[in-house]
């Protein structure tokens, strides 16, 4: 199979409005073809430790990881972040929201890193990206050196399905949450995409009794750092404890006032803690 690397670089000046922006980014985006999928990504820094950032649902490089791309020490880390398949500028094609999309993302992510010639790396996985990160760490133990996850779970409970349904109408989202995604996907595109996401996770709940990747936890061999915001409205408080109890080499930290986006709201502390963990 011939894989074409497309060096379509441009200076990106996008930021999610829920965290302060001190300056515009000068990190250039690039594109690479992985099978039939175009992947949009950035690579920043020249450090010996490679860190691969996995965004959450509908998320992208800049909406989800700007403070990490710009804030982590580039002499210590090489930071890679992508728009997951079918999100952001990793289109076309649009995302296929089948019930295996977490596993599909994990496989595509591993193939993507192979295309970049990177054999060893650590993962920063937020929310949906954390779920795919769990799967990656379990399936590719020789590649994943360390795993950091937050806002993530290995199963879904009924109350969370109800929360997703309450959030289905994107016109009722806060403007801070909605505006950057509307700018990226359009109002109709955002609604269509989130409807499909809600349908997919509801189908997973109904078909698998809520299980997403619980069987993967015991297979994770790498050191794992589980973070959680105790006021996270999207993820039930039982999940970080379950992950901690079922991943062998795990540690955890909880932000008492944190919500779903602790890496954005508390980016300085988050970056410091993650740096200490990754360099240990």
């Amino acid at each position: 199979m011939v894989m074409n690397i497309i060096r379509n670089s441009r200076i990106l000046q996008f930021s999610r409005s829920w965290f302060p922006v001190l300056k515009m980014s000068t990190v250039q985006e690039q594109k690479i073809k992985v099978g039939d999928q175009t992947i949009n990504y950035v690579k920043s820094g020249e450090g010996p430790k490679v860190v691969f950032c996995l965004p959450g649902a509908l998320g992208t490089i800049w909406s989800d990881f700007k403070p990490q791309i710009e804030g982590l020490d580039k002499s210590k880390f090489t930071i890679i972040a992508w728009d997951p398949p079918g999100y952001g500028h990793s289109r076309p094609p649009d995302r296929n929201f089948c019930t295996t999309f977490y596993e599909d993302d994990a496989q595509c992510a591993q193939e993507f890193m192979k295309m970049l010639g990177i054999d060893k790396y650590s993962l920063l996985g937020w929310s949906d990206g954390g779920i795919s990160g769990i799967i990656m760490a379990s399936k590719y133990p020789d590649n994943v050196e360390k795993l950091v996850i937050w806002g993530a779970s290995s199963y879904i409970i009924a109350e969370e399905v109800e929360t997703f349904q309450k959030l289905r109408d994107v016109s009722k989202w806060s403007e801070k949450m909605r505006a950057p995604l509307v700018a990226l996907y359009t109002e109709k595109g955002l609604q269509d995409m989130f409807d499909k996401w809600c349908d997919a996770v509801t189908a997973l709940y109904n078909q698998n009794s809520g299980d997403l990747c619980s069987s993967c936890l015991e297979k994770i061999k790498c050191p794992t750092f589980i973070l959680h915001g105790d006021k996270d409205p999207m993820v039930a408080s039982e999940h970080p404890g379950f992950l901690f109890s079922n991943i062998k080499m795990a540690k955890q930290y909880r932000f008492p006032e944190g919500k779903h986006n602790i890496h954005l709201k508390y980016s300085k502390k988050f970056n410091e803690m993650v740096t200490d963990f990754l360099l240990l």
Side-chain angles (χ1 to χ4, degrees), residues 189-237:
L190 176 60
Q191 184 64 69
D192 288 348
M193 186 175 288
F194 193 64
D195 279 339
K196 291 175 182 177
W197 182 88
C198 287
D199 291 344
V201 295
T202 301
L204 280 167
Y205 175 77
N206 292 330
Q207 293 175 18
N208 299 340
S209 300
D211 186 65
L212 297 173
C213 58
S214 296
S215 63
C216 294
L217 302 181
E218 65 180 11
K219 300 174 186 176
I220 296 175
K221 298 180 180 179
C222 65
T224 301
F225 194 9
I226 303 156
L227 299 104
H228 183 70
D230 282 338
K231 295 185 177 180
D232 190 332
M234 300 289 291
V235 178
S237 60

Side-chain angles (χ1 to χ4, degrees), residues 13-238:
Q13 298 183 345
F14 176 83
S15 64
R16 178 90 42 110
S17 55
W18 58 40
F19 56 85
V21 179
L22 301 179
K23 61 181 180 179
M24 293 297 184
S25 176
T26 57
V27 178
Q28 292 186 331
E29 293 181 355
Q30 304 178 66
K31 292 186 185 294
I32 189 170
K33 199 79 171 177
V34 181
D36 295 330
Q37 178 70 54
T38 297
I39 295 297
N40 186 66
Y41 74 100
V42 296
K43 183 178 179 182
S44 178
E46 299 295 335
K49 297 287 186 180
V50 178
V51 181
F52 183 15
C53 301
L54 305 174
L58 282 61
T60 64
I61 297 162
W62 300 105
S63 66
D64 289 11
F65 282 107
K66 190 172 189 289
Q68 285 66 54
I69 294 166
E70 296 187 343
L72 291 174
D73 189 331
K74 293 176 178 58
S75 69
K76 295 181 174 68
F77 300 109
T78 295
I79 305 112
I80 295 171
W82 73 345
D83 291 349
Y87 288 164
H89 296 291
S90 290
R91 299 175 296 158
D94 289 335
R95 169 162 290 247
N96 178 16
F97 281 102
C98 60
T99 53
T100 61
F101 75 90
Y102 292 117
E103 291 88 346
D104 294 345
D105 276 8
Q107 181 177 346
C108 185
Q110 170 64 6
E111 292 173 358
F112 164 70
M113 295 301 274
K114 281 185 180 179
M115 287 292 297
L116 296 183
I118 299 171
D119 185 54
K120 300 286 187 181
Y121 53 85
S122 294
L123 296 172
L124 300 188
W126 179 33
S127 195
D128 273 14
I131 297 169
S132 292
I134 289 169
I135 297 168
M136 288 182 73
S138 70
K139 289 184 68 175
Y140 310 110
D142 293 334
N143 302 105
V144 179
E145 294 183 315
K146 292 189 177 183
L147 174 65
V148 181
I149 50 176
W150 64 103
S153 60
S154 59
Y155 59 88
I156 307 169
I157 63 174
E159 289 81 358
E160 291 167 329
V161 175
E162 293 175 5
T163 297
F164 303 151
Q165 296 306 322
K166 290 175 182 177
L167 291 171
R168 186 181 281 265
D169 184 353
V170 301
S171 69
K172 296 180 180 179
W173 293 6
S174 70
E175 187 64 15
K176 287 183 178 181
M177 184 74 177
R178 196 172 63 90
L181 295 177
V182 168
L184 187 61
Y185 298 118
T186 76
E187 185 90 36
K188 182 180 184 302
L190 176 60
Q191 184 64 69
D192 288 348
M193 186 175 288
F194 193 64
D195 279 339
K196 291 175 182 177
W197 182 88
C198 287
D199 291 344
V201 295
T202 301
L204 280 167
Y205 175 77
N206 292 330
Q207 293 175 18
N208 299 340
S209 300
D211 186 65
L212 297 173
C213 58
S214 296
S215 63
C216 294
L217 302 181
E218 65 180 11
K219 300 174 186 176
I220 296 175
K221 298 180 180 179
C222 65
T224 301
F225 194 9
I226 303 156
L227 299 104
H228 183 70
D230 282 338
K231 295 185 177 180
D232 190 332
M234 300 289 291
V235 178
S237 60
E238 67 191 68

